Amino acid sequence: MELEDGRVFEPDSGNPYVTVATSSTVVVVSEPQMSPSNDMNLYNSARVFGEASVYNIATKQAGLHWLRLHFNPVENPHYDLRSACFSVVANGITLLHRFSLSNSGYSTPLIKEYVVDLSGKSWRKLVLKLNPLNGSVAFINGVEVISVPNKQFPSTASPIPLGASVEIPSEIAYETVYRVNMGGPLITPKNDSLWRTWEPDGPFLLNAASARNVTKNPSLVKFPDGVSPEIAPNWVYSTAQEMADANVTNQKFNISWSFKVQNGFSYFLRMHFCDVVSISLGNLVFNVYVNKQSALNTFDISSRTMELLSAAYYADFVVNLPKNSDKKILVQVGPSNLGGFSSNAILNGLEILKMSSPTGSLDGNLAADVIDSKSSSSKKWMVLAISSVLVGFGVLVLLFAGFFYRRRVDPKKPRRQFSSWLSFPTHMGISNSKVSIGSSASTLHSFSLGRILSFAEIKEATNNFDESFLLGVGGFGKVYKGVLENGTVVAVKRGNPRSQQGLNEFRTEILMLSKLRHRHLVSLIGYCEELNEMILVYEFMAGGPLRKHLYGSNISPLTWKQRLEICIGAAKGLHYLHTGASDIIIHRDVKTTNILLDENLTSKVADFGLSKLGPTLDQTHVSTAVKGSFGYLDPEYYRRQQLTEKSDVYSFGVVLMEVLCARPAINPTLPREQVNIAEWAMNWQKKGRLEKIIDPHLIESINLDSLRKFGETAEKCLAEYGVERPTMGDVLWNLEYALQLQEASVQTVSAENSANYIPDIPEWLPQTEADDTCHMSLHFMSTDQESDATSSAVFSQLIDPRGR
């Protein structure tokens, strides 16, 4: 049977490439047997299985294959196929479990598409098992097995949230969940060389008024090296959704698409881009977000397509959705915060594929061997149920025993209060008093956590939040300079209800800073929770964030000695957090925007909104969801979701490289090998040529021995595994030694003997202008405005490309 798109379906009986390992089958055919369309003839017949059965389908080559299963409940007086319930397994991968069209909601034929690996023991054979359940039958109308072209699927992809590339195991199987053509019509298999279907994006747009579709002649789409037409047809790249014209000077909104998915799985996302809206190169720069977390920041398509307009490009990502997460994937594109570019963003196409679980399942995390069981007797199910109850009861007994044992061993040890907060009181009305109404009932006040300031007092200190007092904008909200009634100069951080950060960060910051006092930690002076406000008041740091002293401003460059002293101060603050407090405290967001300087360039660690108590003596780590800033995130913490103080050490290693090279931790405008400063700098460190990439301002002033010690320290901090990294105490000692080497050389080296200094390097690597939007400050000294994303939902930690 040949379909209109050129596909040929051969009968399964008498086919030399197909064998059916069962005798309990029957072919049912609907009436009339033939229809005017050959395409529908595929669905007029089905093979029905009364018992567990196996298809063995020979293939011509090894590797990945598309597997498409066609289902249509053929009307038949002997079998009610719509209520059939069965499971399907392909080469050990559970594709469907307890599948039935009775609750699928589909009135038309259903096509399920997968990608399976036919390598190794499975070479040249697809083993497709269908197993009826609960006395029912199984059925199928058609099976497609198509070889996947080479390099169609990558071995690595960028994770969400961003970090080091993650490897995709070769045995992973995929299920196509969505394949969408943005801004264009339905693309049928007739217009796709791999017979794929691309549906329009209209049903997934959250706000249709935010986008407008654009179309270009498909024949004008170019495919540069590395992008095959088989990745996606030119019909996909020739259409796009771009930002609609809001008739305002500064457009600040995102185009958003929402896709319902099943949580408990990881998903492979492929985004397709082609600049079909610009008339010249370099004008389209925008941001891309997945689940409110940055995926592509200041993304310039032309920089990835060999400076070609209308050229195809795609980017691959992996996002994990834990079982307790939302059952959706939110994709957004919006304008960059960089000046000089038009406020526009586009997306041409999107593919979302579910990735098989570690148990080898694409349906409910069920292992294939569970479904393969050919016996479904009630006795086995009863034994399984009883065993589960007994095991569960045993686990509960052990948990209770452990709980009471710990209480008995250390009954006086205070319980951690991070998860036991009472709700904040709600203060209604307007206060003109200098004392907060109802503040005596405050949950925070009951812990004696610092001075409670009235809203009226803060308004007076900031001249009613005068914009001329504005110091900057961060993830939490705006930050103002203020002067309290006693003359104390302060920084006032006012929470924005639309911010990505909220109540948890507010509470954590107060809890942490109220019990910490150290010369190298920013001090909390007070807070205000009146009138539903969340306001934090800190000591004023006149020097602002370390980052603006390194790049992105006109401040005079720091000397090498100053940089070392600043790093030493920050290391002392982190060392105190890890060892000096009553509990280990892990900062979890160490970066150059969270290291602030006073007027004397004394460094202090700031922003404890993501901080967490570290492991106790009987623990090796704390299991927690991954939070932090991309570019600084410990790869081991990201992979295993196990937090230790060594995660701070890794982030500090990135800071050291940022200090040395005077460039952002992540700069997507650079060539691929230079985007991540940790990877790039370590490549040069391992070559013993770190001096090639240092800040040009340090040439002829930095002592080579001091640089070597500094580079060795950073390299140890950036070790792949936490056990291989030093403690912050060791880092501190090494940095102080690097400073001693620098100071000693200044005293001994004369103009006639400067061989131990780095000379001017003729083959100096060109420095791209620092991208000042990769990690915006979350504190009070940044002058960049916060992105006005369309998402105003409760505060997500990683929506904004500026960190968190």
Side-chain angles (χ1 to χ4, degrees), residues 97-272:
H97 179 58
R98 305 192 69 83
F99 170 69
S100 176
L101 284 171
S102 62
N103 52 13
S104 67
Y106 283 91
S107 58
T108 58
L110 174 64
I111 303 174
K112 302 288 285 186
E113 183 182 85
Y114 305 92
V115 178
V116 294
D117 184 26
L118 303 184
S119 300
K121 296 180 180 178
S122 306
W123 185 49
R124 290 192 177 181
K125 181 188 289 187
L126 173 70
V127 180
L128 188 67
K129 302 179 181 180
L130 297 95
N131 186 22
L133 301 175
N134 301 329
S136 182
V137 295
F139 76 94
I140 195 163
N141 302 78
V143 178
E144 286 181 82
V145 183
I146 302 171
S147 179
V148 174
N150 289 334
K151 299 182 180 180
Q152 187 79 10
F153 288 89
S155 58
T156 62
S158 299
I160 302 294
L162 289 176
S165 295
V166 294
E167 291 189 8
I168 301 177
S170 59
E171 65 272 13
I172 284 287
Y174 302 89
E175 177 186 354
T176 302
V177 185
Y178 296 100
R179 185 177 288 118
V180 186
N181 180 27
M182 271 63 183
L186 172 71
I187 297 177
T188 64
K190 188 175 182 179
N191 292 312
D192 188 300
S193 60
L194 294 175
W195 295 294
R196 294 166 295 189
T197 299
W198 301 74
E199 57 185 316
D201 68 318
F204 311 107
L205 267 172
L206 291 184
N207 182 4
S210 68
R212 64 183 177 193
N213 54 61
V214 291
T215 304
K216 195 161 190 171
N217 187 335
S219 64
L220 299 179
V221 174
K222 309 175 187 70
F223 289 90
D225 292 343
V227 182
S228 165
E230 292 176 324
I231 293 292
N234 56 359
W235 290 88
V236 171
Y237 290 116
S238 65
T239 63
Q241 292 284 15
E242 70 168 345
M243 291 174 60
D245 189 354
N247 294 319
V248 294
T249 304
N250 188 18
Q251 294 199 145
K252 287 291 184 180
F253 60 87
N254 296 335
I255 310 174
S256 303
W257 297 266
S258 182
F259 302 91
K260 292 182 180 180
V261 292
Q262 182 180 7
N263 58 13
F265 287 90
S266 293
Y267 288 84
F268 174 81
L269 275 65
R270 173 165 288 172
M271 298 184 188
H272 300 272

Side-chain angles (χ1 to χ4, degrees), residues 267-297:
Y267 288 84
F268 174 81
L269 275 65
R270 173 165 288 172
M271 298 184 188
H272 300 272
F273 301 97
C274 183
D275 188 352
V276 294
V277 301
S278 299
I279 59 174
S280 60
L281 293 169
N283 290 327
L284 183 62
V285 177
F286 57 96
N287 296 335
V288 180
Y289 309 94
V290 174
N291 282 356
K292 302 181 181 180
Q293 302 171 34
S294 183
L296 293 169
N297 190 39

Side-chain angles (χ1 to χ4, degrees), residues 558-726:
L558 298 167
T559 66
W560 180 236
K561 180 182 177 182
Q562 287 173 325
R563 300 185 199 207
L564 286 172
E565 289 173 338
I566 289 169
C567 292
I568 288 169
K572 287 179 178 178
L574 292 172
H575 181 50
Y576 171 77
L577 292 178
H578 293 175
T579 62
S582 57
D583 293 294
I584 295 173
I585 296 174
I586 303 173
H587 188 280
R588 230 179 9 161
D589 202 18
V590 178
K591 54 185 179 180
T592 51
T593 50
N594 286 341
I595 297 173
L596 306 182
L597 308 179
D598 65 12
E599 63 275 13
N600 299 316
L601 297 183
T602 300
S603 57
K604 301 190 179 189
V605 179
D607 198 341
F608 291 78
L610 295 184
S611 298
K612 198 168 186 68
L613 294 180
T616 57
L617 291 176
D618 56 346
Q619 295 176 312
T620 59
H621 62 269
V622 177
S623 296
T624 181
V626 176
K627 292 184 180 180
S629 296
F630 63 91
Y632 299 87
L633 200 60
D634 171 14
E636 186 178 45
Y637 171 36
Y638 174 78
R639 288 194 306 268
R640 305 177 65 184
Q641 298 188 11
Q642 295 179 351
L643 181 68
T644 71
E645 58 268 40
K646 295 298 183 69
S647 297
D648 280 353
V649 174
Y650 181 92
S651 300
F652 191 71
V654 179
V655 168
L656 294 181
M657 289 294 95
E658 208 171 340
V659 167
L660 179 66
C661 302
R663 52 146 289 186
I666 298 290
N667 189 344
T669 65
L670 294 173
R672 185 179 297 272
E673 68 276 6
Q674 299 181 30
V675 168
N676 187 311
I677 194 174
E679 297 176 359
W680 183 53
M682 285 305 98
N683 286 336
W684 286 99
Q685 167 66 16
K686 290 171 183 176
K687 296 175 185 177
R689 304 295 303 276
L690 192 59
E691 67 274 8
K692 291 284 188 181
I693 61 170
I694 67 172
D695 184 352
H697 294 103
L698 298 177
I699 298 175
E700 296 186 336
S701 66
I702 183 172
N703 173 262
L704 189 56
D705 290 332
S706 177
L707 173 63
R708 286 171 180 162
K709 192 64 181 177
F710 187 91
E712 291 170 3
T713 305
E715 183 178 15
K716 292 176 182 177
C717 291
L718 295 172
E720 181 72 11
Y721 301 102
V723 294
E724 299 172 357
R725 300 172 199 150

